[in-house]
């Protein structure tokens, strides 16, 4: 069974709590890659990876800096797990012109990150849906209705909590 963690950075690994602690103590808040990640949130991500052997897929807007830069960040910051890549940046163009905005189901299918996750799975995951599991960790519910059972809404103040960790492990081990 292959497992994937689709992860956002801001509000999930880069938390308001940690930023406030750094500012309050006069320590630096960023490095050459951007804001520093909360070690508590990173520790919880490590536990998910250690217990499930899941690979990491970045859904954060940080991915726009390129997959090589994200791999470099992952290595430099000694982040847990294997970075499998980044989701594509979906642009809808004509899809936006054809949607009935009064149809809530049709509107929900325009979910930006949800379509990015769907596309990444289509291009990278095994063809049989029962041969992989995934979880989405993000602070904003920008996902497709069929993905919501795999989605964990993270509190941006504290990032990935122990409770989020337990839920993620449960989803990935189903």
């Amino acid at each position: 069974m292959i497992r994937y963690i689709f992860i956002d950075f801001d509000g999930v690994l880069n938390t308001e709590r940690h930023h406030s602690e750094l500012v309050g103590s006069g320590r630096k808040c960023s490095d050459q890659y951007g804001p520093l990640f909360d070690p508590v949130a990173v520790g919880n991500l490590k536990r998910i990876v250690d217990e499930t052997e899941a690979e990491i897929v970045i859904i954060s807007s940080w991915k726009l800096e390129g997959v090589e830069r994200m791999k470099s960040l992952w290595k430099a910051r000694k982040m847990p797990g294997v970075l499998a890549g980044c989701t594509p940046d979906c642009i809808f163009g004509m899809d936006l012109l054809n949607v009935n905005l009064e149809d809530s189901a049709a509107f929900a299918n325009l979910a930006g990150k949800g379509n990015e996750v769907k596309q990444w799975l289509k291009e990278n995951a095994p063809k049989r849906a029962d041969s992989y599991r995934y979880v989405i960790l993000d602070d904003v519910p920008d996902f497709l209705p069929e993905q919501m059972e795999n989605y964990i809404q993270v509190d941006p103040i504290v990032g990935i909590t122990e409770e989020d960790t337990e839920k993620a492990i449960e989803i990935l081990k189903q």
Side-chain angles (χ1 to χ4, degrees):
M1 179 71 58
I2 298 173
R3 296 174 175 94
Y4 304 107
I5 301 168
F6 289 91
I7 193 162
D8 184 34
F9 288 173
D10 297 325
V12 177
L13 295 175
N14 168 30
T15 67
E16 293 176 31
R17 174 193 61 205
H18 184 60
H19 180 76
S20 294
E21 288 173 0
L22 293 173
V23 169
S25 66
R27 292 180 287 166
K28 72 176 191 166
C29 298
S30 61
D31 62 12
Q32 70 269 28
Y33 298 103
L36 296 174
F37 294 156
D38 186 325
V40 174
V42 172
N44 286 325
L45 175 61
K46 182 180 182 332
R47 181 168 165 232
I48 298 167
V49 169
D50 287 350
E51 291 194 27
T52 65
E53 298 180 351
E55 297 177 17
I56 308 294
V57 182
I58 298 171
I59 58 176
S60 172
S61 62
W62 291 35
K63 70 185 180 186
L64 299 176
E65 294 186 31
V67 70
E68 291 308 314
R69 181 147 170 92
M70 293 300 98
K71 287 181 179 180
S72 189
L73 171 151
W74 216 254
K75 184 177 179 183
R77 292 188 178 182
K78 298 178 174 65
M79 295 297 292
V82 173
L83 187 59
C86 303
T87 56
D89 194 31
C90 290
I91 300 172
F92 301 103
M94 295 304 291
D95 291 340
L96 286 173
L97 297 175
N98 297 322
V99 70
N100 176 359
L101 297 178
E102 293 180 15
D103 178 356
S104 61
F107 188 72
N109 283 326
L110 291 177
K113 285 186 181 177
N115 281 308
E116 293 172 0
V117 168
K118 183 177 182 176
Q119 187 64 33
W120 191 92
L121 287 169
K122 182 179 175 184
E123 293 174 2
N124 298 281
K127 298 302 174 211
R128 288 187 33 209
D130 64 350
S131 59
Y132 68 88
R133 299 278 182 271
Y134 71 94
V135 69
I136 301 167
L137 299 170
D138 202 330
D139 59 325
V140 178
D142 187 23
F143 300 94
L144 301 170
E146 66 266 22
Q147 296 167 335
M148 296 310 285
E149 67 186 25
N150 299 79
Y151 169 67
I152 297 172
Q153 186 162 3
V154 176
D155 180 342
I157 295 171
V158 297
I160 305 169
T161 63
E162 287 184 29
E163 183 180 334
D164 298 333
T165 300
E166 293 295 331
K167 283 187 208 173
I169 292 168
E170 182 181 322
I171 289 168
L172 291 168
K173 286 189 168 184
Q174 285 179 356

